[in-house]
Amino acid sequence: TKWSHEEIARRMVELAPDDSVRDRIVPHVVSEAYATVLPTIYPFPEQIHFNRAMVYSHANQIEEALKELRRAVGLKPRYYRAHFEMAGLLTELRRNDEALLAFVAAEPGYTKDPEFHFRYGSALARSGDKSLAQRELRKAMELAPGSEIAAQAGELLGTLG
């Protein structure tokens, strides 16, 4: 099977006994030379930027990952997965207002995804928007009854009153 850059980066970081492998390979995968060759053989440039973002993310270069995700959605504004990944990274950085905008942009692609609704609801709760947070958390519970996500959503919903 074909592996995406994201899978390769994740496995490389997990399997490397030290940073030597990652330090040799990651710079090549995210290099500008690599990025300029890929569009000639790969017809979806937004996915190139997304894959580079995942490599950066797994190498813990979050700002670089965000730059690549912004490039991806700049090329394809309805690239919902890129918006969702951006929301997650921005949440990690505690840039909640930006994360909420990315969640809103990703929402059309995740209407049936309980994890999306849980994460979006959690971000809304942190921002103080109690009623919207409750709506999203209930949706997560409805989409995955009895799951771990539903349990987490229920716990958070309980704290919101």
Side-chain angles (χ1 to χ4, degrees):
T1 63
K2 282 188 170 182
W3 285 5
S4 70
H5 284 67
E6 176 184 3
E7 292 166 313
I8 292 168
R10 183 176 51 251
R11 290 176 192 267
M12 182 173 54
V13 170
E14 288 171 359
L15 296 174
D18 56 39
D19 291 339
S20 64
V21 173
R22 184 179 61 209
D23 291 344
R24 284 193 314 257
I25 296 174
V26 169
H28 169 71
V29 174
V30 298
S31 73
E32 289 304 316
Y34 189 73
T36 56
V37 170
L38 272 176
T40 63
I41 57 174
Y42 196 67
F44 306 105
E46 71 280 357
Q47 289 180 2
I48 295 168
H49 292 293
F50 180 85
N51 290 340
R52 291 180 77 199
M54 295 302 94
V55 171
Y56 278 127
S57 177
H58 290 292
N60 208 27
Q61 296 179 31
I62 305 304
E63 289 299 331
E64 291 301 317
L66 288 169
K67 285 179 192 173
E68 290 298 331
L69 289 168
R70 285 187 184 98
R71 289 177 181 149
V73 299
L75 291 168
K76 185 178 178 186
R78 292 183 182 160
Y79 196 173
Y80 303 123
R81 184 172 177 204
H83 286 291
F84 186 45
E85 291 295 333
M86 191 181 314
L89 294 175
L90 290 164
T91 299
E92 283 180 36
L93 295 174
R94 300 184 191 276
R95 288 162 50 184
N96 206 50
D97 290 343
E98 291 175 82
L100 287 173
L101 292 173
F103 277 118
V104 168
E107 190 170 20
Y110 287 88
T111 58
K112 304 245 187 251
D113 186 326
E115 181 184 354
F116 170 84
H117 293 286
F118 173 72
R119 290 173 62 187
Y120 185 26
S122 299
L124 287 164
R126 279 190 301 280
S127 76
D129 196 333
K130 186 176 171 180
S131 63
L132 284 177
Q134 290 170 328
R135 181 194 72 192
E136 290 300 319
L137 294 168
R138 283 190 189 101
K139 191 175 275 189
M141 294 170 67
E142 291 169 12
L143 290 169
S147 69
E148 186 177 330
I149 289 281
Q152 292 172 336
E155 281 180 37
L156 184 51
L157 197 54
T159 67
L160 296 175

